[in-house]
């Protein structure tokens, strides 16, 4: 989950960098490469600092994830001059944070960043961008593949936990995969510059929709998937 978080951060910082340099008048390919790599440069600076920390150390996995996020943004701009495959973020409050509030967050604002159990990362694909306009497929409708995890109350292993009655609780860590629908807000046609800005700003959030969850325990449907 941490590595996917690195990917999505580098991806969006790269997109901002590309748009900023294009707006500034830089030549297209230079704007894409220089702006797109901004996310990797930003996060690699942190990795280098971690490399001098006895507690953390440099992480080749984090570095690879940062690079992957930047390349996802860059490659799509070079190929299509648009983002047809978008990374998105979803969250719903989990039941695990109360057992480790110092690690997973003491309130909703902290949970949004710290509690991986409640986070879902999505690969949201826009089918219409790969089709002829004559098909009539809605331009704003996406198909999303999600990844998440549950049962995590520690970084690598779960420390002992107890319920309100002092009984020992064991949480099993497991992966979650999802299939859902999504909306690409940036493809909704509007003449309002204000609405276009709003759609762009909140476009990284997965729109809640029915979803199928696949995990080690089987398959279950969700009326609303975040």
């Amino acid at each position: 989950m941490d590595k996917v978080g690195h990917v999505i951060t580098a991806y969006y910082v790269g997109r901002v960098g590309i748009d900023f340099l294009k707006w500034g008048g830089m030549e297209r390919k230079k704007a894409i490469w220089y702006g797109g790599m901004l996310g990797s440069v930003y996060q690699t600076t942190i990795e280098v600092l971690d490399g001098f920390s006895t507690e953390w150390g440099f992480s080749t996995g984090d570095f690879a994830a940062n690079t992957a996020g930047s390349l996802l943004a860059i490659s799509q701009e070079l190929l299509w001059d648009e983002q047809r495959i978008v990374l998105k973020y979803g969250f719903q409050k989990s039941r695990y944070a109360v057992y480790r509030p110092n690690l997973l967050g003491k309130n909703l604002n902290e949970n949004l960043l710290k509690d991986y159990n409640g986070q879902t990362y999505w690969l949201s694909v826009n089918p219409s961008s790969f089709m002829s306009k004559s098909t009539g497929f809605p331009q704003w409708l996406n198909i999303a593949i999600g990844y998440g995890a549950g049962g995590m109350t520690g970084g690598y292993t779960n420390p002992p936990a107890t319920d309100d009655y002092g009984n020992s609780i064991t949480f099993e860590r497991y992966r979650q995969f999802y299939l859902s629908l999504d909306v690409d807000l940036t493809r909704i046609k509007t003449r309002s510059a204000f609405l276009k800005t709003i759609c762009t700003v909140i476009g990284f959030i997965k729109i809640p929709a029915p979803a199928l969850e696949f995990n080690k325990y089987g398959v279950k449907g969700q009326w609303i998937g975040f």
Side-chain angles (χ1 to χ4, degrees):
M1 289 294 289
D2 177 71
K3 299 300 178 285
V4 180
H6 278 266
V7 172
I8 197 171
T9 301
Y11 171 76
Y12 273 103
V13 174
R15 285 186 61 179
V16 170
I18 291 171
D19 290 342
F20 180 76
L21 293 182
K22 282 185 175 180
W23 173 82
M26 183 176 284
E27 188 269 326
R28 176 178 174 271
K29 285 190 176 180
K30 288 184 178 180
I32 293 173
W33 279 106
Y34 295 161
M37 290 305 297
L38 185 62
S40 289
V41 172
Y42 164 68
Q43 294 196 105
T44 298
T45 302
I46 300 174
E47 300 306 327
V48 171
L49 293 175
D50 283 347
F52 291 97
S53 169
T54 55
E55 182 180 358
W56 300 107
F58 183 85
S59 171
T60 55
D62 288 352
F63 178 78
N66 299 338
T67 304
S70 294
L71 292 179
L72 179 61
I74 290 170
S75 60
Q76 293 189 81
E77 288 293 330
L78 291 174
L79 285 171
W80 306 310
D81 207 29
E82 65 175 354
Q83 299 292 309
R84 299 181 178 183
I85 303 171
V86 180
L87 297 179
K88 291 197 174 188
Y89 168 88
F91 180 84
Q92 54 183 337
K93 196 170 179 64
S94 79
R95 65 187 182 95
Y96 301 103
V98 295
Y99 296 100
R100 293 294 304 282
N102 290 334
L103 181 67
L104 303 179
K106 300 175 183 178
N107 52 55
L108 180 59
N109 289 335
E110 292 184 358
N111 296 153
L112 289 168
L113 295 174
K114 294 183 175 183
D115 188 4
Y116 286 149
N117 299 287
Q119 298 175 9
T120 307
Y121 294 107
W122 298 86
L123 194 71
S124 186
V125 182
N126 183 255
S128 71
S129 61
F130 295 95
M131 303 177 183
S132 169
K133 292 184 178 180
S134 62
T135 61
F137 192 92
Q139 295 183 15
W140 48 266
L141 183 61
N142 281 20
I143 297 174
I145 301 172
Y147 176 72
M152 301 180 294
T153 56
Y156 297 97
T157 59
N158 292 344
T162 57
D163 60 19
D164 294 337
Y165 303 99
N167 300 314
S168 177
I169 304 175
T170 301
F171 297 117
E172 187 173 4
R173 303 158 73 94
Y174 64 99
R175 303 177 190 273
Q176 301 161 320
F177 299 91
Y178 299 90
L179 181 63
S180 182
L181 297 176
D182 186 32
V183 176
D184 188 339
L185 297 176
T186 63
R187 295 179 184 271
I188 296 178
K189 295 182 179 180
T190 175
R191 295 181 179 179
S192 170
F194 175 75
L195 288 178
K196 286 182 180 179
T197 301
I198 293 298
C199 288
T200 300
V201 170
I202 66 174
F204 76 96
I205 299 174
K206 161 71 168 66
I207 302 300
L212 286 176
E213 177 185 341
F214 305 84
N215 57 49
K216 63 187 296 183
Y217 302 110
V219 181
K220 69 176 182 178
Q222 297 183 0
W223 285 110
I224 300 293
F226 294 88

